[in-house]
Amino acid sequence: MTDSQALAPHSSPLGTNPVAAAPAGARTAADVVTPEVVAQLTRGVVGTGRTANHTPFTGEKLADLPESTPDDVAEAFVRARAAQPAWAATSARARAAVLLRFHDLVLARQAEVLDLIQLETGKARLHAQEEVLGVAIAARHYGRMAPAYLKPKRHTGAVPLLTKTTELRQPRGVVGQIAPWNYPFELSVGDALPAFVSGNAVVMKPDTETALTALWARDLLIEAGLPAGVFQVVLGEGPVIGPEVVKHADYVSFTGSTRTGREVAQGAAARLVGVTLELGGKNAMLVLHDADVDKAAAGAIRACFSSAGQLCISIERLYVHESIADAFLERFAARTKAMRLGRSLAYGAEMGSLVGERQLENVKRHVEEAVAKGATVVAGGVHRTDIGPYFYEPTILDGVEAPMAVCGEETFGPVVSIYRFTDEDDVIEQANATAYGLNASVWTKDGRRGHAVAARLRTGTVNINEGYAPAYGSVRAPMGGMKDSGLGRRHGSEGILKYTEAQTVAHQRLMPLAPSFGMDDEKFAALMTTSLKAMKALRLR
């Protein structure tokens, strides 16, 4: 089959999902990842070896890349530490201005990074554009708000009027960031922006297979005014390079699997440095009896199959009230079967590829084992080799129950299991009956009921009448996981202040906090006792 035939619109006998047609004259990997582009983007990588990355669309090599050794990682931290003090000495407003210029550059040149994201992850262009939106929102927010978050804050002192107390925010130094492959723009530079604007340098280890996207972001930040020395990039195998980043960092930011997150946390704890972890999820969507069935079915498509389900906050468990379950499943299945799959560097496809062989095998294992143990495939369940090596149809499973692996394990692919419920208390208990607690979704026409249910779900974010985007996009509010889904938060004040150390400066005036003006110890103690009683009576905090 020729490339043009593979991309022509049709319903393949291999599966039900049509293939989105490639536009005439569509760009190819060779058009985007030229030797000149690779040379420019990799000039900032500290690496003495050689490695490569590949595109999931075809499995072919995209680019040869520098590979870092442990010594290279140490050198990257030396460079970052040398550059960080001057950057920290720059005013918060000047640092924030870099983010605002970066915001404008990202929006103006987004076509470049959309191509890279698609080529490196295999996702549909619309889902790649989610990353552009997320980064731009974060850049604007911290570009506007960072000076306020970081400014010195006055506090009531030990003795009012006599003690002047100020809280300062000092950068931690050099942040070590380990970024995943699934959202290579948003989860690399998007997380690094608050670290930079608070005066830190960053040594980032992106996944090698999606390194070009992160390197493009670095190039654009430098164009926006970030000193090149404060943003170092190292590449290599996670088990080799990851621990070296943790070994040298003053603070660690990690997004990835729960298993690896535990190892990162242990390494950071041994050095007594802080860590933020965003880990896995087995996220639930609750469709209550009064939900709009059509809107919920359309929302479930976005919630379950964006980026082919390779999103920590996507939905893998879908609970539907018995009274509307048949109608919902009919509409949801019809929409799922109609989703267009594709691999062209253009809008039009509704879902792209899995990222590689490991993800494909995990998806196939979960589906095949569930079917062997009695589950039913309502839609999908087909490996679409006619489109590319790692394409798998969006899949709905019914009749899933323990001990099927898909029931409790994170699939991280385009697979969702349907469960019916009749009692609201029971379904909340089921939704919470997992070690994970990252995201949830509630669908109802009654906003008050939706908020009441949301408050009982043990997840870091809950979206009412949407899958994940509203909570994630609300960057003034914290985002992160409970239980095994992580530690710490991104976004809002927590997302920037974690990259700083709080320093309290107390200036004592007029008299010391000690016997003075001829008082002996007993008279000083009596004075302080009377003062404390008076401060309580005056409701001073």
Side-chain angles (χ1 to χ4, degrees):
M1 180 179 290
T2 67
D3 189 64
S4 60
Q5 289 172 327
L7 295 180
H10 71 293
S11 289
S12 168
L14 295 177
T16 58
N17 292 91
V19 183
R27 294 177 305 286
T28 67
D31 297 326
V32 176
V33 185
T34 64
E36 294 76 18
V37 167
V38 174
Q40 176 170 330
L41 296 184
T42 57
R43 72 190 190 281
V45 179
V46 186
T48 52
R50 302 301 293 172
T51 186
N53 68 348
H54 307 78
T55 176
F57 285 149
T58 62
E60 296 172 341
K61 183 170 73 172
L62 275 177
D64 289 306
L65 303 169
E67 184 173 42
S68 307
T69 66
D71 287 343
D72 292 328
V73 176
E75 173 62 24
F77 274 93
V78 169
R79 296 182 186 181
R81 290 194 194 286
Q84 188 267 333
W87 174 241
T90 305
S91 72
R93 290 196 177 278
R95 297 194 301 262
V98 173
L99 269 60
L100 294 176
R101 289 193 292 272
F102 177 68
H103 168 279
D104 294 344
L105 288 170
V106 166
L107 294 181
R109 293 171 52 186
Q110 62 181 290
E112 299 173 23
V113 76
L114 289 174
D115 285 348
L116 290 175
I117 294 170
Q118 282 198 273
L119 287 170
E120 292 195 306
T121 66
K123 66 178 65 177
R125 199 168 189 85
L126 182 63
H127 302 151
Q129 218 263 340
E130 287 185 346
E131 299 200 48
V132 170
L133 297 178
V135 170
I137 290 171
R140 186 192 71 230
H141 174 69
Y142 287 117
R144 297 295 187 199
M145 294 297 297
Y149 285 140
L150 299 171
K151 71 179 181 180
K153 292 180 173 56
R154 291 283 300 273
H155 295 291
T156 300
V159 179
L161 302 179
L162 299 183
T163 310
K164 176 185 176 183
T165 304
T166 307
E167 175 191 340
L168 304 180
R169 286 286 168 176
Q170 304 288 7
R172 290 184 180 269
V174 181
V175 173
Q177 184 184 1
I178 302 173
W181 49 261
N182 60 320
Y183 272 65
F185 190 42
E186 164 63 16
L187 298 181
S188 62
V189 71
D191 281 351
L193 292 176
F196 287 127
V197 78
S198 52
N200 297 282
V202 172
V203 175
M204 179 188 294
K205 193 207 88 64
D207 190 283
T208 302
E209 294 291 358
T210 54
L212 292 175
T213 300
L215 290 169
W216 184 90
R218 179 183 186 271
D219 203 54
L220 213 65
L221 261 175
I222 293 170
E223 184 177 334
L226 183 76
V230 304
F231 194 172
Q232 302 290 324
V233 176
V234 292
L235 300 177
E237 291 295 323
V240 176
I241 302 303
E244 294 299 316
V245 172
V246 177
K247 176 181 175 181
H248 295 282
D250 299 315
Y251 187 88
V252 180
S253 172
F254 172 82
T255 303
S257 71
T258 297
R259 178 185 59 80
T260 304
R262 293 185 193 280
E263 297 173 1
V264 170
Q266 290 169 359
R271 299 186 52 244
L272 297 180
V273 299
V275 61
T276 300
L277 309 170
E278 190 199 292
L279 309 177
K282 192 70 177 176
N283 308 302
M285 175 171 160
L286 282 57
V287 184
L288 306 186
H289 71 88
D290 65 339
D292 184 308
V293 174
D294 286 318
K295 290 181 179 179
I301 295 293
R302 296 187 295 275
C304 302
F305 303 131
S306 292
S307 294
Q310 298 168 119
L311 171 60
C312 297
I313 51 179
S314 66
I315 298 299
E316 295 194 7
R317 297 180 294 148
L318 215 168
Y319 296 91
V320 188
H321 194 274
E322 183 69 41
S323 64
I324 59 171
D326 290 344
F328 172 86
L329 188 55
E330 179 184 359
R331 289 164 173 79
F332 182 39
R335 288 177 178 273
T336 300
K337 292 174 183 177
M339 289 181 68
R340 293 164 297 176
L341 310 184
R343 69 185 199 191
S344 65
L345 302 182
Y347 291 104
E350 293 170 288
M351 199 181 88
S353 174
L354 290 164
V355 75
E357 185 67 29
R358 181 183 300 178
Q359 290 307 116
L360 175 64
E361 288 304 314
N362 194 56
V363 168
K364 291 169 64 176
R365 174 177 66 87
H366 277 191
V367 173
E368 291 168 4
E369 186 221 34
V371 171
K373 292 182 177 179
T376 301
V377 176
V378 178
V382 178
H383 177 197
R384 293 293 295 273
T385 54
D386 58 317
I387 312 175
Y390 310 121
F391 279 81
Y392 196 91
E393 289 192 341
T395 300
I396 305 171
L397 296 177
D398 197 4
V400 170
E401 58 186 14
M404 300 174 188
V406 73
C407 187
E409 294 180 12
E410 183 180 29
T411 305
F412 218 63
V415 180
V416 62
S417 304
I418 300 287
Y419 306 89
R420 294 162 175 80
F421 74 91
T422 55
D423 181 77
E424 203 166 275
D425 292 334
D426 180 58
V427 75
I428 292 171
E429 182 177 344
Q430 291 182 58
N432 287 334
T434 171
Y436 296 111
L438 189 55
N439 181 50
S441 175
V442 179
W443 290 75
T444 175
K445 293 177 183 176
D446 184 341
R448 181 174 296 180
R449 171 181 280 122
H451 280 271
V453 171
R456 296 174 63 189
L457 296 172
R458 299 294 297 159
T459 59
T461 54
V462 183
N463 296 266
I464 298 173
N465 294 338
E466 230 342 312
Y468 60 83
Y472 194 92
S474 300
V475 293
R476 289 186 68 115
M479 183 273 163
M482 298 181 183
K483 299 185 283 186
D484 285 1
S485 289
L487 297 172
R489 297 290 185 267
R490 59 164 55 91
H491 296 166
S493 61
E494 293 183 57
I496 186 171
L497 296 182
K498 67 185 181 185
Y499 292 121
T500 68
E501 296 272 18
Q503 181 184 48
T504 297
V505 178
H507 177 193
Q508 189 64 22
R509 300 178 290 189
L510 299 179
M511 62 174 290
L513 286 178
S516 56
F517 301 114
M519 288 185 289
D520 58 20
D521 292 355
E522 185 175 0
K523 289 181 179 179
F524 176 74
L527 174 63
M528 293 305 296
T529 299
T530 301
S531 298
L532 291 176
K533 291 178 180 179
M535 284 189 279
K536 179 176 181 293
L538 293 171
R539 306 183 69 84
L540 295 176
R541 291 174 290 176

